[in-house]
Amino acid sequence: MTFHNVIGQEEIRDRLLQMTSEGRLPHAVMLCGPQGVGKKALAIAFASHLLGDNNAMVKRLEHPDLHFTYPTIKLPSMGSDHKPISDDFAHEWHELLTGTGPYFTMDEWMTAMGGENQQAIITAGESDALVHKLSLKSSQGGYKVSIIWLPERMNIECANKLLKLIEEPPSQTVFIMVCEEPDKLLDTIRSRVQRIDVKKIPANVICQALVDHRGISEEAAHRISRLANGSWLKALEELQVDTENRLFLDLYISLMRLAYQRKIRDLRKWSDTMASFGREKQKRFLQYFLRMTRECFMYNFQQPEIVYMTEQEENFARNFARFVSEANILSLYDLANRAIRDIGQNANSKIVFFDFTLQTIILLLN
């Protein structure tokens, strides 16, 4: 997996290669940016470069000096004292990487692990395993590379152990972190890594990649590239006939109509439906709620170039958008973000979503 597998991001690629060629490579790099911009792809491509692009083991992502760390779950088959580690799911991880490629979501990873209804974290057991792996000599006499996907999901015990490892890194070890929410990391970790911000992919780059790699028409690629809003994952999602967004749009429409009509009993049923989803899916709906609410607000300005909606979304916004205004847009955002926080803290989802619907009634009629 090389830089040829990365969609766009030539500036970041050149920066990484220049640091290496000039002998300025830090022992810890953190690639930060929104989902779908290619952080994981960049990390794997850079690791492959450091370990030797032409190495057969590198091409198969089976190099003994390449170590992956990622969020995991606890399966019912695991013992009560067992702290899940990445090695427990190494087969699933390798299959997803080599099959789907480096562009995949947390939801896809949860499905691969068989734990859609759990929340994945990086445990203290993982940091212990990583200390052991990196204490060994390089099998090829070169770099040892540790790629950590979503380090913000480390629990505090793991984060503290990893901090010590970064402060006193083993010889010729390079840490490459792939992070979406750096503010959730310990300040002491952030201060010891070189942060590189990975920006959204330009629409024209996504458009060309869709034409080149997916064989679709330029017209369709142009529409999808605008909707993708800088995310290759979003672009791939739009290519699918039956996407999760269709379900989320239906749920959004139902919520807003029931809230406007003050149908409390039906809103209770809506809340029960949401509660039946896994927590990761619940949070994704709330993120969709934020995006769709923003688009409805922007729709009111009647400037198509600043609105990013599908045809189905726009059909609904045409009549609904006027209910999202300066008077309630910020409060609706706060409401959804609180719900995301509560779901992330394992609050009772039935209570969270029913309260969410009741507050939506108040804000829509504000």
Side-chain angles (χ1 to χ4, degrees):
M1 199 168 291
T2 69
F3 284 110
H4 293 295
N5 301 107
V6 182
I7 307 299
Q9 307 301 357
E10 288 85 359
E11 183 180 343
I12 304 297
R13 175 201 64 196
D14 293 345
R15 180 176 174 183
L16 292 170
L17 294 178
Q18 185 176 3
M19 286 193 304
T20 305
S21 64
E22 294 178 353
R24 297 184 294 104
L25 181 62
H27 69 276
V29 174
M30 184 165 69
L31 302 175
C32 299
Q35 186 183 80
V37 297
K39 303 181 300 299
K40 191 176 338 91
L42 280 166
I44 297 173
F46 186 44
S48 298
H49 172 74
L50 293 176
L51 296 172
D53 287 324
N54 295 321
N55 187 299
M57 291 184 294
V58 171
K59 292 181 178 179
R60 298 194 304 268
L61 298 180
E62 295 175 346
H63 196 287
D65 295 323
L66 175 59
H67 307 287
F68 288 103
T69 291
Y70 35 80
T72 58
I73 59 171
K74 188 158 188 174
L75 297 174
S77 58
M78 295 176 177
S80 57
D81 295 332
H82 179 71
K83 296 178 180 178
I85 59 174
S86 297
D87 285 350
D88 294 329
F89 299 93
H91 175 72
E92 291 82 358
W93 177 261
H94 189 266
E95 280 202 336
L96 192 59
L97 266 184
T98 55
T100 302
Y103 293 87
F104 59 81
T105 64
M106 172 55 71
D107 180 51
E108 290 174 284
W109 174 229
M110 293 293 288
T111 299
M113 288 191 292
E116 294 89 337
N117 294 322
Q118 297 188 48
Q119 293 198 81
I121 65 168
I122 302 176
T123 70
E126 180 66 35
S127 55
D128 292 337
L130 196 56
V131 167
H132 172 70
K133 291 175 184 177
L134 297 180
S135 67
L136 303 175
K137 289 185 177 181
S138 166
S139 66
Q140 308 293 307
Y143 286 108
K144 293 177 288 184
V145 183
S146 170
I147 296 178
I148 304 176
W149 183 45
L150 303 181
E152 61 266 39
R153 287 183 177 246
M154 293 185 294
N155 63 22
I156 189 64
E157 186 179 358
C158 177
N160 283 323
K161 289 184 177 181
L162 181 65
L163 172 61
K164 185 175 181 180
L165 190 59
I166 293 175
E167 288 177 331
E168 301 174 6
S171 176
Q172 282 197 289
T173 296
V174 178
F175 294 92
I176 309 174
M177 298 186 184
V178 178
C179 187
E180 292 178 2
E181 299 177 284
D183 290 343
K184 292 185 176 181
L185 279 171
L186 293 177
D187 291 341
T188 44
I189 289 181
R190 285 183 300 184
S191 67
R192 285 165 175 76
V193 302
Q194 180 164 332
R195 173 172 172 167
I196 298 176
D197 290 315
V198 183
K199 299 177 182 178
K200 292 182 178 181
I201 308 169
N204 66 305
V205 174
I206 292 179
C207 182
Q208 192 60 50
L210 287 170
V211 173
D212 293 343
H213 303 314
R214 300 290 163 162
I216 66 174
S217 68
E218 288 193 12
E219 182 180 353
H222 177 71
R223 181 187 65 82
I224 291 173
S225 65
R226 288 194 76 252
L227 291 171
N229 193 26
S231 168
W232 180 245
L233 277 175
K234 179 68 174 174
L236 296 179
E237 186 179 276
E238 290 296 331
L239 283 175
Q240 299 175 12
V241 177
D242 184 21
T243 68
E244 189 176 67
N245 273 18
R246 179 67 242 189
L247 168 64
F248 286 169
L249 174 59
D250 290 341
L251 287 166
Y252 186 89
I253 292 173
S254 177
L255 168 64
M256 293 308 185
R257 285 176 174 169
L258 294 173
Y260 180 75
Q261 297 167 7
R262 301 187 186 186
K263 292 188 175 181
I264 306 299
R265 189 182 299 274
D266 290 331
L267 285 171
R268 168 73 77 176
K269 293 178 182 178
W270 185 93
S271 303
D272 290 342
T273 298
M274 287 302 307
S276 69
F277 297 153
R279 290 186 180 272
E280 295 295 337
K281 190 171 184 177
Q282 290 169 355
K283 288 190 287 187
R284 288 199 307 279
F285 169 76
L286 291 167
Q287 291 291 347
Y288 178 87
F289 176 96
L290 287 168
R291 183 186 73 80
M292 189 60 186
T293 302
R294 179 263 179 200
E295 298 303 335
C296 286
F297 178 70
M298 300 305 290
Y299 186 87
N300 292 315
F301 294 96
Q302 297 299 307
Q303 296 184 39
E305 68 275 9
I306 63 174
V307 177
Y308 299 87
M309 287 190 282
T310 65
E311 183 178 352
Q312 294 85 356
E313 290 171 342
E314 190 168 345
N315 287 339
F316 174 67
R318 190 170 293 115
N319 294 318
F320 172 73
R322 66 181 184 273
F323 295 104
V324 181
S325 66
E326 291 90 342
N328 60 15
I329 180 67
L330 294 179
S331 296
L332 285 167
Y333 255 63
D334 289 342
L335 177 65
N337 281 316
R338 283 198 304 272
I340 291 171
R341 178 203 63 194
D342 292 342
I343 293 299
Q345 294 177 350
N346 291 319
N348 185 306
S349 55
K350 285 188 177 182
I351 296 175
V352 170
F353 280 106
F354 188 53
D355 179 70
F356 182 80
T357 64
L358 298 180
Q359 295 299 323
T360 301
I361 292 176
I362 296 171
L363 293 173
L364 282 185
L365 302 179
N366 192 354

